[in-house]
Amino acid sequence: MQDHPYWLQSVRPASYPSIDQDLTVDVVVIGGGITGATAAYLFKREGYKVCLVDRATMGGCDSSRTTAHLSMVTDVRLKELVSRWGVDRAAAVWQGGQAAIGLIERIIRSGTISCEFKTVPAYLVASSASDPEAERADLLEESQVARDLGFSAEMMEQTPIFGRPGVKFVDQAKFHPVKYLTGLVETIPGEGSLVAEHSEVTEICSDPMAVVAAGHRIRCQYIVIATHTPLTGQTNLLSSTLFQSKLFLYNSYAVGARLPAGTACEACFWDTETPYHYLRIDRKGDFDYAILGGGDHKTGQLEHTETVYHELNELLQHWLPSAKVDHRWSGQVIETPDGLPYIGESAPRQFIATGFGGNGMTFGTLAAMMAVDAFHGYTNPWKDLFAPSRKASGEGLWHYLRENADYPYYLMRDWVAGTKCGSLQQVEPGRGMIVNVGKARVAAYRDPSGALTLCSPVCPHLKCLVAWNEAERTWDCPCHGSRFSPTGDVISGPAEKPLERLKG
């Protein structure tokens, strides 16, 4: 069993040096995932000098942990989008997904990127846990709304693999995300543009506009923050904190399995459960490959994360009995109160993109397109709809209030009621635990060789206490979803500083 994404089995991305001198470019793009790499590619294609920087490696975070469905179909049902936003805006959301798929295909066709891109049907499948007739009626309505808005949608009494009612959407797609991202990044260096890894951004300045990365100043005209959870940047601390309260971070899990060739049709699937499961089937020549995802939970709020993998394994075996699981991994998705992403300028000449939910590949690509338009001052059809400044209302407001109850709950639970603590002697090799050392609580990790690393368990974002994720070997914050390596380094924000290292 491999505890890393299936995509990394077949690709060894190129490495890039860190920033080693002061620079001047037109655009700095922070974050080497799908959004950042696509934005840097588009700016470079237009003749601008761009610097793409990442505190770790290109594609090393959630863009390599996706299951890489490319679809216009959003987490929020189309009929709900119509109810919240009206017909034209609801249609625009799905059209954004279509535009993103179209751009990805054009980039692949016009260049030399070989990334297993393929157009396939996608199926929204009725849950087995709900009333069949109610599910069928609901899906029939969804398919009719889609057709009314001009999208191809076919109601089916029995979908492939599952044999349950569902809606078929044609001309969706899938690809190998790491091969695609690697191909994008390789086009950027040269002619005054560069790619830099292990170059953490520690400061963003507005007058003159510049980014400080790896201790060096990069002057520019425009900044794109594509870091999953946006850095504070030029926004003040209060605004940044309020914005963070509109982002709800969830862990999502996946297992990959080999199948005998021809076992199932090559397609993508989602079901209607909450949280939903998602499946893709790939043809690999002499075998098929299945990737099943799901088990979503708010980051840091599930004690026994190993159970999620067991449940996914059992579910895959139920649907595809010949599946032989050989990979497992998790990623992180960000939800918003109304189900739409936040894409746009958060300050003058500072562009952010986040809150993609389960549509990271498409919304991330669309965000890159919007960043280029914003740089030029062009009117974009999604600018107002996805504006970071929009406020939650109606059902979205209740969702906002419900999700943000976590912060005071976990803060009070951990600091007032206290957390269960062990002792240093109980920390096994390869594991972490919150322990008591004297009168202090400590986040203790023992590596496979037996060496201990001790950190403060206090998340530097807003002072909640982190918890150990046994399946992923990370420290996760239950309040706002920050994740840290076993030794305390930031994996994903909103925290921008590591856990404080303590002396042994």
Side-chain angles (χ1 to χ4, degrees), residues 342-370:
Y342 293 114
I343 304 173
E345 290 190 341
S346 59
R349 297 183 294 161
Q350 176 178 284
F351 190 94
I352 65 171
T354 187
F356 301 155
N359 296 87
M361 296 292 101
T362 45
F363 278 145
T365 301
L366 183 65
M369 299 162 65
M370 293 174 65

Side-chain angles (χ1 to χ4, degrees), residues 22-232:
D22 292 352
L23 301 165
T24 298
V25 295
D26 298 310
V27 182
V28 173
V29 180
I30 307 169
I34 187 71
T35 306
T38 307
Y41 168 89
L42 293 177
F43 279 114
K44 171 71 181 292
R45 190 177 68 175
E46 291 200 1
Y48 295 101
K49 295 178 181 178
V50 59
C51 179
L52 174 62
V53 299
D54 196 287
R55 68 180 164 203
T57 58
M58 294 294 126
C61 197
D62 286 285
S63 287
S64 64
R65 295 179 170 273
T66 176
T67 53
H69 296 228
L70 300 175
S71 178
M72 66 187 181
V73 182
T74 52
D75 291 355
V76 179
R77 297 285 188 80
L78 187 57
K79 63 181 181 180
E80 293 179 25
L81 291 176
V82 170
S83 175
R84 294 179 190 178
W85 301 100
V87 170
D88 291 342
R89 287 191 158 199
V93 175
W94 278 33
Q95 288 162 359
Q98 289 180 321
I101 296 170
L103 176 63
I104 290 169
E105 185 169 12
R106 289 195 301 276
I107 290 172
I108 292 168
R109 304 298 184 213
S110 64
T112 58
I113 301 176
S114 177
C115 61
E116 303 168 31
F117 177 89
K118 189 167 186 178
T119 299
V120 295
Y123 299 86
L124 177 62
V125 183
S127 166
S128 60
S130 303
D131 176 67
E133 284 307 308
E135 282 282 286
R136 184 187 179 282
D138 185 61
L139 290 170
L140 184 60
E141 182 183 359
E142 184 74 3
S143 65
Q144 185 60 56
V145 171
R147 287 194 298 274
D148 290 345
L149 269 61
F151 302 105
S152 175
E154 177 188 353
M155 182 67 195
M156 302 185 69
E157 294 303 322
Q158 288 192 326
T159 52
I161 300 178
F162 303 92
R164 300 199 296 269
V167 183
K168 178 182 179 180
F169 302 96
V170 299
D171 296 331
Q172 308 306 290
K174 57 187 179 66
F175 66 174
H176 189 302
V178 176
K179 287 183 179 179
Y180 177 71
L181 195 144
T182 299
L184 280 181
V185 174
E186 287 175 350
T187 69
I188 296 164
E191 300 175 330
S193 294
L194 73 154
V195 174
E197 296 181 327
H198 306 291
S199 300
E200 182 178 6
V201 171
T202 55
E203 186 178 0
I204 295 177
C205 310
S206 58
D207 190 20
M209 178 160 274
V211 164
V212 178
H216 295 280
R217 186 173 296 270
I218 311 168
R219 295 189 62 171
C220 59
Q221 302 175 38
Y222 204 76
I223 297 170
V224 177
I225 300 178
T227 55
H228 193 55
T229 300
L231 301 174
T232 301

